[in-house]
Amino acid sequence: MSAAPPDNDVLWARGIVKSHHGTPALRGVSLGVQVGEVLAVTGPRGSGKSTLLGCLSALLPVDEGEVWFNSSPVHTLGRTGRARLRRDRFGFVGSQPHLVPELTARENVALPLLLAGAGNKAAYTAADEWLERLDIADTRRLRPERLVQSQRQRIAVARALAPLPPVVFADDPTAPLHREAADQVLRILSSAARSHQLTLVLATHDPELARYADRSVALADGRLTPPAAPTPAPGTGPVAVAAAGTGSSAVSATPR
Amino acid sequence: MFYLRLARGYRAPDLGRWLLTAVTGAMVAAFLLRALGRAMSDPLGSGGAVTRLLWCLPPLAAVAWFAAVAARAVPGQRPERITGLITAGAGPARIRALIAGETALAGAIGSALTLLLFLILRNDIAGASLAPELGMGVELPPAAPVTLLVLVPLVAGLAAAAAVPVPDTLPGSSPRPGPRGYHPLRLALPTGLTVTGIALELYGLRPGAAEDGRPVRLPAGLGTSNLAALGGWAVTALGLALLTGPLLAWAGRLLVIARPTPLRLLAGRGLTAEARRLGPPLAVLALTLAVVLTVVRYWVHAPGTADILPAVEAGLLVGCAVAAVLTRLAEIRTARREITDTLLGLGAPPRLLYGAVAIRALTAGTVLLLTGGLTALLGAAVLA
């Protein structure tokens, strides 16, 4: 057993190994994510970004290694425990919107809150607020099939942010979008994370989009590669600076 | 022939579809061959031959109905297979032909087995009671059984070909959902039919109706009836069957009124969204059950009227209707797998999803009880 994870890391992983039906996706990844930090995970397609986010966000169980959230173990949780953790603590935006097609935009956004047991009024008020903030308030009574892809993706972003979860995962959220819409979605995600002190873990295959992050790590073939040069981060917050100083959350590649 | 190799990848649902098509095809073939045998044994012009052939129509329709519903479910249930075929260069026509060919082959094998049995029984094995049904002692004109037996695979294959949806999508992407909701005309027509039908039947059953006489002789030993009552019932049954889908959609809307919990929200919206797909098979099942139960009740109350062949036929019809509903449910379940995964990803407990399915089933059952019950009630009034 390892020592308990550092206190200031909201998410902490050590030596995660994960394979999909025999195809190795992650071969020993260790990293820590600090509270309020915007972390970018970059890498080409097939490098294991989605699997890493899946393992961190408790969607996938890990084959080997440990994942800790707020100093409590995630890798030992069963299916139900992971589901509860996802519902109450995490938000997730995928590369496809994955909305429930028969629900209206507003109901889709309110759904995580309703599932978590919030009252109807609170859930729908929050949903309306986020739809307003994302500039799609006029779509709230429409079903996803009547919207264009960028609107759907923004609804998915609103759905992930509406419960204000401590950690938001975004797995290539800009994949289906044009450059302009992609920029907008990332601006919204990162600014929401900063203004609400949320932690954002962002996977992207586009190194240029990593400029929205405080810090970025690179994945290749299921392993973290040592950062070649510090990423210029225009909006670097004090948290990231502190993180760089402590070194406790420094990225370490653990070859096997 | 190359495409038949795909059968090596068959799993339980495909095999079940295949087997059921073959079995029902065999039963319809038995009805057809019996009609042929009787026609050969009876003296020329003794009548009843057309009636016996007409008795073959309901089971034939049942086979076609099941083949159509099952063929429609194939692309949804085996998306990887359809994707592979499209990527390999098979166009919509070829995929349609492939599924229709499979269905027709199953029907042909079932019919051929029945023909084999028919020929074996004709070879002096059948006793005296069966002899007239098989046309024993009369030479069999070869064209006759072949013509009759081509009918089953042809009907099943055509029904399957007509039903297969082949949308234009990229390989791997799920097809766009069809239109939701109902056109106002689609609502007005069945409502009008139901109201007219009930009025007509009430006119036919009015206190003084006995003077009109009961000129219509019903088949299967069901006695006689008058035209207005029978026509009224038929129109009402059609209207209620067509109204099943819209009623399901409305029931779904009813579930989500007044601050719904997530359970009610998911159950109701899901029911409304799937009403178009669920409606037809459920309507056919309700209608079949209503007719069969009414007839069985009549038989029980008037002993001596029951006949073995209508009873077998009723069993076949109910079987096909139930199988069609199960196939459609499996299709919907597969189509909603992505939605289920999304909900589970959001952390929805499985209990909630099962609960939503249970509420949907309960609501759909209530709607069917309403339409089917009304159909059965009015049918019983016609027979009384």
Side-chain angles (χ1 to χ4, degrees):
Chain A
M1 274 314 283
S2 72
D7 286 342
N8 51 350
D9 280 359
V10 63
L11 267 176
W12 187 79
R14 198 179 71 96
I16 313 180
V17 174
K18 175 76 188 169
S19 60
H20 298 296
H21 304 293
T23 311
L26 295 177
R27 316 171 190 231
V29 175
S30 301
L31 89 160
V33 187
Q34 291 214 321
V35 181
E37 163 175 58
V38 178
L39 173 72
V41 180
T42 61
R45 280 177 207 283
S47 58
K49 303 184 301 289
S50 295
T51 311
L52 178 61
L53 256 67
C55 288
L56 291 177
S57 66
L59 275 168
L60 302 171
V62 294
D63 291 346
E64 278 175 49
E66 298 169 15
V67 180
W68 295 72
F69 167 71
N70 271 352
S71 305
S72 63
V74 176
H75 53 279
T76 54
L77 289 178
R79 196 181 278 260
T80 319
R82 282 189 284 117
R84 192 169 303 137
L85 187 66
R86 286 200 300 273
R87 190 186 71 200
D88 296 340
R89 297 277 180 266
F90 295 157
F92 197 98
V93 188
S95 58
Q96 292 292 321
H98 287 304
L99 302 174
V100 182
E102 61 251 21
L103 299 184
T104 61
R106 184 170 185 247
E107 288 163 347
N108 261 299
V109 176
L111 189 59
L113 282 156
L114 291 172
L115 287 177
N120 266 26
K121 198 168 173 211
Y124 287 116
T125 312
D128 288 342
E129 262 173 35
W130 278 99
L131 287 172
E132 187 86 43
R133 202 172 298 186
L134 288 169
D135 229 3
I136 38 174
D138 49 335
T139 68
R140 62 203 195 103
R141 298 213 171 275
L142 300 178
R143 281 195 295 266
E145 66 191 12
R146 304 205 23 210
L147 306 176
V148 296
Q149 186 75 340
S150 69
Q151 288 172 321
R152 283 186 222 152
Q153 190 67 353
R154 272 184 275 169
I155 292 172
V157 170
R159 180 176 67 183
L161 292 173
L164 290 177
V167 188
V168 176
F169 297 89
D171 179 12
D172 226 347
T174 57
L177 301 179
H178 301 299
R179 184 135 290 256
E180 211 171 297
D183 271 328
Q184 190 194 9
V185 161
L186 282 182
R187 234 181 3 253
I188 291 162
L189 267 173
S190 56
S191 68
R194 294 216 167 82
S195 60
H196 292 274
Q197 288 293 299
L198 313 179
T199 309
L200 174 65
V201 183
L202 167 74
T204 172
H205 64 271
D206 187 353
E208 209 181 303
L209 292 181
R211 69 175 183 274
Y212 288 99
D214 303 326
R215 180 164 73 91
S216 83
V217 300
L219 264 181
D221 297 332
R223 289 196 179 90
L224 287 177
T225 53
T231 323
T236 306
V239 183
V241 174
T246 59
S248 64
S249 68
V251 177
S252 56
T254 50
R256 281 172 170 258
Chain B
M1 272 301 120
F2 170 76
Y3 283 100
L4 286 182
R5 282 205 223 162
L6 293 167
R8 288 197 302 200
Y10 274 7
R11 280 175 301 183
D14 295 294
L15 285 174
R17 170 172 62 90
W18 224 80
L19 213 67
L20 212 68
T21 314
V23 168
T24 47
M27 287 177 78
V28 179
F31 275 101
L32 287 167
L33 287 174
R34 175 194 165 250
L36 174 69
R38 282 303 290 257
M40 288 193 304
S41 319
D42 288 359
L44 264 179
S46 63
V50 175
T51 319
R52 275 192 293 275
L53 268 181
L54 283 179
W55 268 108
C56 301
L57 281 184
L60 204 59
V63 172
W65 173 243
F66 174 68
V69 173
R72 219 193 93 122
V74 173
Q77 272 168 356
R78 306 291 307 277
E80 67 284 354
R81 182 165 143 199
I82 301 295
T83 305
L85 285 171
I86 291 178
T87 316
R94 189 160 291 187
I95 288 173
R96 206 180 278 276
L98 173 68
I99 293 173
E102 274 179 11
T103 313
L105 188 67
I109 288 177
S111 313
L113 284 178
T114 307
L115 179 61
L116 199 67
L117 190 72
F118 178 73
L119 293 178
I120 291 172
L121 282 176
R122 268 174 61 85
N123 208 4
D124 279 346
I125 291 177
S129 61
L130 261 180
E133 310 285 345
L134 300 171
M136 234 148 95
V138 184
E139 199 188 334
L140 189 68
V146 172
T147 311
L148 285 183
L149 296 188
V150 160
L151 203 61
V152 176
L154 195 72
V155 166
L158 282 179
V164 179
V166 187
D168 292 324
T169 51
L170 289 174
S173 64
S174 53
R176 278 190 64 77
R180 295 175 199 277
Y182 288 91
H183 193 265
L185 209 65
R186 174 71 180 71
L187 292 174
L189 180 74
T191 314
L193 281 179
T194 309
V195 172
T196 318
I198 290 178
L200 198 61
E201 178 163 352
L202 286 180
Y203 170 76
L205 297 174
R206 73 191 187 280
E211 295 152 25
D212 300 356
R214 296 165 76 96
V216 185
R217 237 190 91 240
L218 293 169
L222 293 179
T224 55
S225 175
N226 76 45
L227 196 61
L230 191 66
W233 174 81
V235 170
T236 314
L238 180 68
L240 283 173
L242 288 174
L243 210 54
T244 306
L247 279 177
L248 286 173
W250 285 337
R253 287 218 185 106
L254 261 179
L255 275 178
V256 298
I257 57 168
R259 307 163 66 88
T261 56
L263 181 69
R264 271 203 292 142
L265 184 72
L266 290 175
R269 289 272 195 256
L271 188 62
T272 308
E274 298 302 338
R276 279 185 79 101
R277 273 204 275 202
L278 269 175
L282 286 183
V284 168
L285 178 68
L287 182 61
T288 315
L289 277 181
V291 171
V292 167
L293 289 180
T294 312
V295 170
V296 167
R297 183 173 164 274
Y298 182 83
W299 283 341
V300 169
H301 283 275
T305 49
D307 196 0
I308 181 77
L309 278 169
V312 170
E313 197 157 292
L316 180 67
L317 293 184
V318 172
C320 277
V322 170
V325 169
L326 293 180
T327 312
R328 185 56 59 87
L329 287 178
E331 178 194 336
I332 291 176
R333 185 192 143 104
T334 323
R336 292 182 67 84
R337 197 156 47 189
E338 208 172 300
I339 304 169
T340 311
D341 287 348
T342 302
L343 288 170
L344 289 176
L346 285 174
R351 208 164 28 123
L352 178 80
L353 302 186
Y354 286 126
V357 171
I359 289 188
R360 257 176 244 161
L362 216 68
T363 315
T366 313
V367 169
L368 287 193
L369 215 61
L370 197 77
T371 61
L374 196 56
T375 310
L377 216 67
L378 293 173
V382 171
L383 288 182

